[in-house]
Amino acid sequence: KASRISEFRLKIIGDGPELHNLKKIADSSDLSNYIEFTGYLKGECLIKEYLSADFFILTSYSESFGMVYLEALSSGLPVIGTNVGVIPEIIDETVGVLVEPGNIQQIEDAIVKMSKQYTTYPKHKLIAKAKEFSWETIADQYIQVYENAIGAK
């Protein structure tokens, strides 16, 4: 399947409990030349990776909030994510693709689709979507709720 998107490289950032297994799988497959494991990154090193990427993928089985999706969107990256938790509130067709957790065929199709269409997502719309979840925006929404509650008495 690597030939379908052979011009791309996959960077796996992080050092979770499956890192060793993922490295073994990559080393024993025809994909090893297309995959790079960076380990855990933070700060400017992580920002550099976002800014050098074409799109972002995180297909987890659960997400409490999805800050990494917002970081990717803030960097102007379209995203592929799973239909869990609050992720569907962040990802819609204007900023990326949602897949069902564990559905390998959907994930593969989304990656192939994104590899062909990532340049069609306007960066200003990606960044604007991330701003919908900024501290300032959320604080303004809370103020509006409180003002409405006070005015309703």
Side-chain angles (χ1 to χ4, degrees):
K1 314 253 175 161
S3 63
R4 291 174 70 186
I5 55 170
S6 61
E7 67 274 11
F8 284 89
R9 293 185 46 80
L10 173 65
K11 285 194 179 182
I12 297 179
I13 299 172
D15 59 1
E18 289 298 315
L19 181 61
H20 179 71
N21 291 334
L22 289 172
K23 285 182 176 181
K24 280 177 40 178
I25 292 168
D27 289 342
S28 67
S29 74
D30 62 343
L31 299 175
S32 62
N33 292 331
Y34 301 100
I35 301 173
E36 178 184 342
F37 295 90
T38 67
Y40 176 76
L41 298 176
K42 64 181 181 176
E44 295 207 18
C45 292
L46 182 57
I47 292 168
K48 179 181 171 191
E49 292 298 336
Y50 280 127
L51 295 176
S52 69
D54 294 314
F55 54 93
F56 175 84
I57 307 166
L58 178 61
T59 57
S60 61
Y61 286 91
S62 65
E63 276 299 316
S64 58
F65 179 69
M67 185 61 73
V68 292
Y69 295 105
L70 298 176
E71 291 171 355
L73 290 168
S74 292
S75 300
L77 296 177
V79 295
I80 297 172
T82 42
N83 188 15
V84 296
V86 300
I87 304 312
E89 294 179 39
I90 297 172
I91 301 174
D92 61 28
E93 67 280 349
T94 67
V95 298
V97 179
L98 275 177
V99 296
E100 292 304 316
N103 188 322
I104 303 304
Q105 188 61 56
Q106 278 188 357
I107 295 167
E108 179 185 328
D109 292 346
I111 292 170
V112 171
K113 177 182 176 181
M114 188 66 76
S115 73
K116 295 174 182 174
Q117 297 179 354
Y118 70 94
T119 59
T120 65
Y121 291 89
K123 289 196 184 297
H124 71 278
K125 288 187 178 181
L126 301 169
I127 294 167
K129 183 67 170 184
K131 286 182 179 179
E132 289 178 21
F133 298 89
S134 71
W135 285 109
E136 183 178 331
T137 301
I138 300 300
D140 288 345
Q141 290 172 355
Y142 271 107
I143 290 169
Q144 186 64 45
V145 167
Y146 294 142
E147 288 176 347
N148 289 344
I150 291 169
K153 286 188 175 184

